[in-house]
Amino acid sequence: MCLTGVDYFSTLGYQPGLAFLSAGLMSPVATFVLVLLTLFGALPIYRKVAQASPHGEGSISMLEDLLPRWRGKLFVLVLLGFVATDFIITITLSAADATEHVVQNPFVPHFFHEHRVAITLVLIAVLGGIFLKGFKEAIGLAVLLVASYLLLNIIVVVVGIYHVVIQPDLIPTWKNSLLAMPSVHGNPFLIIGLSLLLFPKLALGLSGFETGVAVMPLVKGDPSDDFKNPVGRIRNTRKLLLSAALIMSVMLIASSLVTTLLIAPEKFQPATADQPAGEAYGRALAYLAHHYLGEAFGTIYDISTIAILWFAGASAMAGLLNIVPRYLPRYGMAPNWTRARRPLVIVYTLVAFVVTIVFNANVEAQGGAYATGVLVLMTSAAVAVTLLMWSKGAIRYAFLTITLVFAYTMIDNIIVRPEGIKIASLFILGIIGVSFVSRALRSTELRVDGVELNDLARQFIEEAKNGTIRIIANRPDRGDADEYRLKEKQERWNNHIPPDEPVLFIEVRPGDASDFSGNLKIRGVQIGNYKVLRTRSAAIPNAIAAFLLHVRDETGQIPHVYFG
């Protein structure tokens, strides 16, 4: 939970400020709408995703089977592009906001204000270094960071609520200001309607669910769990998602309310050519900590916020390390070394460096891409779950409604902040380009991970090894005894095979050509007096070669094979 929480809970470092910039005085109402979507939309969706995909593949694996062959592969590559957008931007945006907390602290020398990019790069490099060290170290640090950060936030929010209570005019003044807005015309229903339109801009507060599912392999299950249905892991992941959603919902509403009521609007504003950024820009709760609890406590809060924002990339890094190796190497669209953790950590860290430099470590500039990645993945998850539940009766309409809400949120975000889809497109094009180059470079590989024989096929090989192993490659046709009789007669004549030496037949039917590799499953079939070995493969020559190598290794003999 803490590894997920460093991503999810760390958004408290910037979410209240970004919410005010997006929704103004309506920020608490729009945040309440966001919380409703969290509890009654995202949470039910990802509880189903956890059940359907208990090994961390997420909604991608659920959608993979909807489209066959190359269309399905391209669809997965596009979704992986959005995964990369979401997780890489999580690393860079969180590190950039951590840098913002560093330079805004009153005890930090002004010298650091001019080196935001360098500070952000150092934070990302240290994060990568921890993952090079190992997962256990990352998880242990996450527990400490999340526990201390939540405690400090609770203190700040409680103190904020206290100051709201002792100033009874704050809430009526806020209410009157809302009703006096030109777009509201004194109608409270218009406030609700406008909040429904504005809440997509607060979508960063939904982050954490995809990473929560992505790190499922790290969730402890029951000793009795089996691979296909790890009931304990699914149950505990659901508890994780529920606990995180409830904690975050309370903190989002409370933080949005106290920051809106206690901080002057000009304090939220970003830097312009004429004036520096407001003291609460990107750090609203930190501003309250300094203002009401003193510089000492405020600095402790800053340190905790910097640490968790810096480490927020840990859950994203864990998600990338879990998801990407499950697809690209299997598709032949990445070298086999990408199955290893440490080389991937180095690659992801270098990509994060490039993104940070391109965006100049600017939090707001990366927000659109982050929200786009989050919303596309959540919409795809909602679609997958809706299709899964479509045959379950009236409940399907509830999930269909959730899907439509997420689709609206995603489309609205893309329209309002089109730079997000542009950045995601670069990730998608990059992944597709690298994937097809890798596939071309790996075209000479055997493309078979292993050979599995059923009992009868194994018996045929055992009997054949008593003499010279002779195998005839046959193009499958009718599959009756006459076909094999004529084929055997032809090959014995063409290749001078002695009439008293037995032969086996191997038949390979074409499979999905878009598949790159997998296990070759061979079954033995007795057709009259003829012993036939049948299988299916994306590459027929490769399958025959892999089978022959397997026979050689198992019997110690070099088999003779005949084509014609």
Side-chain angles (χ1 to χ4, degrees):
M1 174 172 164
C2 290
L3 192 57
T4 301
V6 291
D7 173 21
Y8 198 17
F9 301 147
S10 68
T11 57
L12 291 171
Y14 49 82
Q15 177 71 10
L18 292 181
F20 190 89
L21 286 175
S22 301
L25 293 174
M26 284 189 285
S27 171
V29 184
T31 300
F32 182 72
V33 174
L34 181 72
V35 166
L36 291 179
L37 181 60
T38 298
L39 296 178
F40 300 103
L43 183 59
I45 289 293
Y46 278 92
R47 283 171 61 86
K48 291 294 182 183
V49 171
Q51 180 179 8
S53 178
H55 302 292
E57 301 95 332
S59 57
I60 296 178
S61 67
M62 299 172 65
L63 291 169
E64 185 180 11
D65 297 331
L66 293 179
L67 294 173
R69 300 181 179 270
W70 281 110
R71 284 177 294 172
K73 302 293 189 296
L74 288 173
F75 183 70
V76 168
L77 290 179
V78 170
L79 286 182
L80 287 176
F82 285 108
V83 168
T85 303
D86 179 10
F87 289 176
I88 291 293
I89 298 294
T90 295
I91 295 171
T92 59
L93 183 146
S94 299
D97 198 57
T99 300
E100 196 66 34
H101 282 74
V102 170
V103 300
Q104 291 290 347
N105 186 276
F107 297 113
V108 173
H110 190 270
F111 166 80
F112 288 95
H113 288 228
E114 307 301 324
H115 296 86
R116 284 177 165 83
V117 173
I119 296 172
T120 305
L121 293 177
V122 169
L123 292 175
I124 293 172
V126 175
L127 176 68
I130 288 178
F131 270 83
L132 288 175
K133 178 69 175 175
F135 266 129
K136 291 183 178 179
E137 288 78 3
I139 294 173
L141 186 56
V143 173
L144 175 64
L145 293 177
V146 168
S148 59
Y149 183 68
L150 282 178
L151 176 62
L152 292 171
N153 271 282
I154 290 170
I155 294 172
V156 173
V157 168
V158 168
V159 170
I161 293 173
Y162 168 76
H163 282 277
V164 170
V165 170
I166 64 174
Q167 301 178 67
D169 60 316
L170 287 178
I171 293 181
T173 301
W174 170 63
K175 176 184 174 183
N176 293 333
S177 299
L178 273 179
L179 295 173
M181 292 173 62
S183 56
V184 172
H185 305 295
N187 188 340
F189 293 104
L190 281 178
I191 296 176
I192 297 174
L194 288 172
S195 297
L196 290 172
L197 296 175
L198 288 171
F199 90 88
K201 297 180 180 179
L202 281 61
L204 294 183
L206 289 168
S207 66
F209 283 97
E210 194 67 31
T211 49
V213 173
V215 299
M216 276 191 74
L218 302 177
V219 176
K220 186 177 181 180
D222 295 335
S224 59
D225 282 359
D226 61 60
F227 183 81
K228 291 185 177 180
N229 186 30
V231 177
R233 177 189 291 176
I234 293 170
R235 182 187 64 250
N236 291 337
T237 300
R238 286 178 161 184
K239 290 180 182 178
L240 180 158
L241 295 173
L242 176 62
S243 302
L246 290 174
I247 293 171
M248 193 60 176
S249 296
V250 172
M251 294 304 295
L252 279 175
I253 293 174
S255 63
S256 177
L257 186 63
V258 297
T259 53
T260 300
L261 294 177
L262 295 174
I263 301 176
E266 63 272 12
K267 301 288 187 182
F268 291 101
Q269 299 308 310
T272 63
D274 302 327
Q275 59 183 17
E279 296 173 69
Y281 170 67
R283 54 189 298 276
L285 288 175
Y287 173 83
L288 292 181
H290 283 272
H291 187 73
Y292 289 110
L293 294 165
E295 302 295 359
F297 182 89
T299 298
I300 294 173
Y301 181 87
D302 279 340
I303 293 171
S304 177
T305 306
I306 291 164
I308 196 169
L309 282 168
W310 156 67
F311 205 64
S315 59
M317 184 73 80
L320 285 169
L321 292 174
N322 179 57
I323 289 179
V324 173
R326 292 178 180 270
Y327 294 97
L328 295 186
R330 177 161 57 90
Y331 293 172
M333 293 178 174
N336 274 323
W337 59 258
T338 57
R339 297 181 188 270
R341 175 167 52 85
R342 286 182 171 85
L344 276 182
V345 170
I346 295 173
V347 171
Y348 297 147
T349 303
L350 292 176
V351 173
F353 282 175
V354 173
V355 172
T356 296
I357 293 170
V358 169
F359 284 101
N360 200 32
N362 187 296
V363 175
E364 187 179 8
Q366 299 177 71
Y370 187 24
T372 298
V374 169
L375 290 172
V376 169
L377 292 179
M378 299 192 87
T379 303
S380 69
V383 170
V385 171
T386 300
L387 294 173
L388 180 69
M389 302 297 293
W390 198 249
S391 60
K392 304 297 183 181
I395 189 67
R396 62 185 177 184
Y397 296 109
F399 286 104
L400 177 61
T401 302
I402 295 171
T403 301
L404 294 175
V405 172
F406 275 119
Y408 153 72
T409 308
M410 176 188 68
I411 294 170
D412 181 83
N413 182 78
I414 291 173
I415 293 172
V416 174
R417 308 186 74 173
E419 71 276 8
I421 196 68
K422 294 177 183 177
I423 297 165
S425 298
L426 294 177
F427 276 100
I428 293 169
L429 291 174
I431 285 180
I432 291 177
V434 170
S435 296
F436 279 96
V437 169
S438 176
R439 177 101 180 199
L441 293 174
R442 296 183 63 188
S443 60
T444 58
E445 294 182 14
L446 191 58
R447 297 176 60 177
V448 175
D449 297 329
V451 177
E452 301 175 8
L453 304 177
N454 72 354
D455 291 340
L456 190 55
R458 193 174 293 106
Q459 178 184 326
F460 289 166
I461 300 298
E462 287 294 321
E463 293 171 353
K465 75 177 184 180
N466 295 324
T468 301
I469 301 176
R470 301 183 185 274
I471 300 172
I472 297 174
N474 181 53
R475 184 190 300 271
D477 190 7
R478 300 185 310 276
D480 57 12
D482 284 341
E483 176 183 344
Y484 300 110
R485 178 178 58 80
L486 293 173
K487 184 68 175 179
E488 180 184 7
K489 181 179 180 181
Q490 177 186 359
E491 293 303 326
R492 285 188 185 275
W493 173 265
N494 290 340
N495 297 284
H496 308 290
I497 302 174
D500 58 336
E501 293 199 10
V503 296
L504 299 175
F505 291 89
I506 178 71
E507 295 179 346
V508 184
R509 294 185 180 272
D512 183 354
S514 66
D515 288 338
F516 184 78
S517 64
N519 287 337
L520 192 66
K521 298 181 179 180
I522 299 176
R523 61 188 180 92
V525 181
Q526 183 83 39
I527 307 294
N529 296 323
Y530 304 100
K531 300 173 180 179
V532 185
L533 301 167
R534 291 176 176 172
T535 188
R536 186 179 296 272
S537 174
I540 293 175
N542 302 54
I544 295 175
F547 168 66
L548 296 175
L549 291 171
H550 177 78
V551 171
R552 182 202 63 186
D553 294 341
E554 290 294 313
T555 64
Q557 297 186 41
I558 297 177
H560 294 215
V561 62
Y562 306 96
F563 300 90

